[in-house]
Amino acid sequence: MTKIVFMGTPAFSVPILEGLLEAGYQVQAVVTQPDRPVGRKRVITPPPVKVAALKHDLLVLQPEKISGSPEMAKIAELAPDLIVTAAFGQFLPEKLLQIPRLGAINVHASLLPKYRGGAPVHYAIMNGEDKTGVTIMEMIKKMDAGAIYNQAEIPITKTDDVGTMFEKLSLLGKGLLLDTLPALINGALEKTPQDEAKVTFSPNITREQEAIDWQKTAVQIDNQVRGMRPWPIAFTTYRGVRFKIWDVTPLAETTDATPGTIIKKDKHELLVACGQQTVLALNELQPAGKGKQEIQAFLNGVGQNVVQGEKLGE
């Protein structure tokens, strides 16, 4: 029976771990990030993979940094045949990659060599891609640069966001991994080097990227909003106060107004001018210090003071 050490952290990783268990693989240990404070009250919360692992009575290791840690020494002691990672969240040192007999593989949520890095789903949506996918790749020291064992793709619809795509890609990754492992374990699976000329990157989202640039078109802003939902959430400002923007709709109409200008405001609608004369309807937003609200509730409450003709983002 193939012995596996699994490394993953967020909800994306959970179905992949459970797929290994359902298929009968011997998961010797699960390595995940330490418990972290979550939410406004900063409640110390275990990562989703830890919760799933404990349900199956698996050994859980939580190094703050894997390199040179006691947890890494424990993995060496276990002598796994294979390491499988899925959104673990740390670089793996070369000494760790050399421990398993069959090496280490990663379930990466993009069609490599596109979108190497920590936020591939966010960038795929923000950049308006019509598809993404999962890659099973060999892990090497360089980030997401290993040879490709297998890939599967999936469409991105105009209503998808990071949350829905993570759910779809997690299940896709589970199936792809289980399809790939038998041939990999038997040494019958060929791997294909990545084309370095086609490499793009998806580094973690910065606070600056969360801010809406109203010079962009309505469609581009819609992509940004969906590409940051349900985290970290795009935002704009009005009279110096920050508002998170949860849902928008690009409209067919056009306007000559300066981008960022509120061109219509009544009890039911809030429309904003965007780049290239496009128009965006705000559907759901979240004022600072409050919960998210449908636009009608906002306009009949906190938003009563919003003035048509004024600008967002200033």
Side-chain angles (χ1 to χ4, degrees):
M1 184 181 292
T2 303
K3 298 179 297 180
I4 293 174
V5 166
F6 181 82
M7 307 179 75
T9 298
F12 168 80
S13 315
V14 172
I16 298 168
L17 168 61
E18 292 180 336
L20 291 171
L21 297 169
E22 291 163 8
Y25 290 101
Q26 182 185 349
V27 178
Q28 298 172 289
V30 170
V31 188
T32 189
Q33 299 277 30
D35 298 2
R36 304 287 191 199
V38 172
R40 291 182 184 176
K41 295 185 178 180
R42 313 302 288 162
V43 177
I44 301 299
T45 305
V49 163
K50 178 182 180 179
V51 175
L54 292 178
K55 286 181 181 177
H56 294 281
D57 296 321
L58 298 174
L59 172 65
V60 175
L61 306 175
Q62 294 182 274
E64 191 67 49
K65 183 180 179 184
I66 187 68
S67 183
S69 66
E71 291 85 357
M72 182 169 155
K74 180 62 178 178
I75 295 170
E77 179 187 320
L78 292 170
D81 297 308
L82 182 68
I83 289 176
V84 175
T85 72
F88 172 52
Q90 294 185 32
F91 281 106
L92 303 191
E94 202 161 1
K95 285 185 178 179
L96 178 60
L97 299 179
Q98 292 171 351
I99 290 173
R101 175 177 62 86
L102 297 171
I105 61 173
N106 182 34
V107 183
H108 183 74
S110 85
L111 296 172
L112 291 171
K114 258 190 172 181
Y115 301 125
R116 292 180 183 176
V121 180
H122 295 75
Y123 281 83
I125 297 173
M126 288 192 297
N127 289 342
E129 303 279 4
D130 60 6
K131 67 179 180 180
T132 186
V134 173
T135 301
I136 308 294
M137 52 161 283
E138 176 187 34
M139 294 201 71
I140 61 174
K141 188 175 182 180
K142 188 177 179 183
M143 182 184 67
D144 298 333
I148 295 170
Y149 283 113
N150 209 349
Q151 282 188 327
E153 66 180 50
I154 192 171
I156 301 174
T157 73
K158 295 301 181 184
T159 58
D160 275 317
D161 61 18
V162 172
T164 63
M165 287 311 302
F166 262 120
E167 290 177 7
K168 295 177 184 180
L169 289 166
S170 181
L171 295 176
L172 184 68
K174 170 184 174 179
L176 186 66
L177 177 65
L178 296 181
D179 288 345
T180 303
L181 280 178
L184 187 151
I185 291 166
N186 293 329
L189 189 63
E190 294 184 4
K191 54 189 179 183
T192 305
Q194 294 187 40
D195 185 344
E196 293 293 326
K198 296 181 179 178
V199 170
T200 62
F201 293 95
S202 57
N204 291 336
I205 304 296
T206 65
R207 177 55 62 94
E208 291 74 23
Q209 287 174 291
E210 296 170 25
I212 291 173
D213 177 2
W214 294 101
Q215 298 291 335
K216 293 182 178 179
T217 68
V219 168
Q220 289 172 325
I221 294 172
D222 176 43
N223 290 341
Q224 178 185 5
V225 168
R226 292 185 297 109
M228 294 192 178
R229 186 178 71 218
W231 74 91
I233 302 299
F235 73 87
T236 192
T237 55
Y238 177 66
R239 296 179 182 174
V241 177
R242 179 174 295 191
F243 291 82
K244 293 182 177 180
I245 306 299
W246 281 83
D247 188 60
V248 298
T249 301
L251 302 180
E253 63 191 81
T254 59
T255 180
D256 292 326
T258 303
T261 303
I262 298 167
I263 60 171
K264 182 178 180 182
K265 183 250 179 175
D266 58 28
K267 291 185 177 181
H268 306 285
E269 281 188 311
L270 189 63
L271 308 186
V272 184
C274 305
Q276 298 182 27
Q277 300 184 306
T278 57
V279 177
L280 194 69
L282 305 189
N283 302 328
E284 190 174 38
L285 50 72
Q286 182 175 1
K290 298 185 180 295
K292 60 182 177 180
Q293 303 173 8
E294 297 288 340
I295 196 64
Q296 292 88 346
F298 170 74
L299 292 170
N300 288 298
V302 176
Q304 289 185 65
N305 295 326
V306 170
V307 177
Q308 184 171 316
E310 292 191 345
K311 289 184 69 176
L312 301 178
E314 294 183 341

